Amino acid sequence: DAEITQSPRHKITETGRQVTLACHQTWNHNNMFWYRQDLGHGLRLIHYSYGVQDTNKGEVSDGYSVSRSNTEDLPLTLESAASSQTSVYFCASSESGSGRAGEQFFGPGTRLTVL
Amino acid sequence: GEDVEQSLFLSVREGDSSVINCTYTDSSSTYLYWYKQEPGAGLQLLTYIFSNMDMKQDQRLTVLLNKKDKHLSLRIADTQTGDSAIYFCAEKAGNNRKLIWGLGTSLAVNP
């Protein structure tokens, strides 16, 4: 069955370190998204991609970067981790096109703690 | 800009019906979605409705859409303790591939 996976599921790091969160989907979806979820803020979009070599900034992109070298993967990098980036991170993917509902499918999340 | 609003909390007794409400502002919405998030898990798509429909039923779930008032609701019949979760409403405007999300409604089911 097609799925979307994230790794690691839990990560503790120190302020200033670079961290990369992995996202891999086997749906063959064009669209991939990274969100962070914080109490009181719901889901906030960090970065998104509509295809290979395409990346776009979301509403909370400062301090984060992504790259899309293939259809399946969209790794999220925190260049220099800050305590404000302690959060739960979700990756999602969707397909688009005529007649499609465009629903997003989510990974299980990565809980990141920055000390 | 586009906005999706939901009440933050709802508490019901086991066996009762739950109704979770959502309002949105974008009149060009094409699809509206309901997702469920259980503790420690990702979001799971429950159902979605196309904007030219006013109702969709799927087992215990009934979605009602009032386009004139830009109001969406999710009714869960015979609510069970396993329905305790956060429920998110989201909309897709036109051909936009991004979704606009509500903050989520935390449903507590009391035995």
Side-chain angles (χ1 to χ4, degrees), chain B residues 84-100:
Chain B
S84 293
I86 302 175
Y87 291 81
F88 289 91
C89 170
E91 65 150 345
K92 175 176 177 286
N95 291 321
N96 200 334
R97 305 183 209 188
K98 292 186 289 181
L99 303 185
I100 307 300

Side-chain angles (χ1 to χ4, degrees), chain A residues 9 31 33 35 37 41-43 45 48 50 90 96 99-104 106-108, chain B residues 31 33 35 37 40-45 48 86 88 92 96-99 101-104:
Chain A
R9 294 294 314 277
N31 311 316
F33 308 84
Y35 296 92
Q37 185 178 27
H41 291 278
L43 290 174
L45 185 63
Y48 57 101
Y50 291 161
F90 288 102
S96 51
R100 291 188 179 269
E103 66 271 36
Q104 293 183 5
F106 280 77
Chain B
Y31 288 93
Y33 312 83
Y35 283 80
Q37 184 182 30
L43 279 72
Q44 171 195 357
L45 178 69
Y48 62 84
I86 302 175
F88 289 91
K92 175 176 177 286
N96 200 334
R97 305 183 209 188
K98 292 186 289 181
L99 303 185
W101 295 87
L103 292 183

Side-chain angles (χ1 to χ4, degrees), chain B residues 7-108:
Chain B
S7 52
L8 295 182
F9 301 100
L10 177 65
S11 179
V12 299
R13 294 179 67 130
E14 191 173 15
D16 287 351
S17 291
S18 308
V19 179
I20 302 171
N21 295 301
C22 171
T23 58
Y24 60 97
T25 58
D26 195 330
S27 57
S28 68
S29 292
T30 50
Y31 288 93
L32 295 121
Y33 312 83
W34 283 106
Y35 283 80
K36 176 184 182 183
Q37 184 182 30
E38 296 182 0
L43 279 72
Q44 171 195 357
L45 178 69
L46 283 178
T47 187
Y48 62 84
I49 188 167
F50 187 48
S51 58
N52 69 352
M53 299 170 64
D54 51 19
M55 187 180 91
K56 181 177 181 181
Q57 191 150 4
D58 183 2
Q59 299 183 348
R60 292 190 298 122
L61 305 180
T62 303
V63 177
L64 295 178
L65 175 60
N66 181 327
K67 278 196 74 174
K68 174 176 169 289
D69 295 337
K70 298 189 182 69
H71 182 267
L72 181 75
S73 67
L74 174 70
R75 179 177 179 269
I76 305 172
D78 187 25
T79 312
Q80 302 299 307
T81 54
D83 295 321
S84 293
I86 302 175
Y87 291 81
F88 289 91
C89 170
E91 65 150 345
K92 175 176 177 286
N95 291 321
N96 200 334
R97 305 183 209 188
K98 292 186 289 181
L99 303 185
I100 307 300
W101 295 87
L103 292 183
T105 299
S106 180
L107 174 66

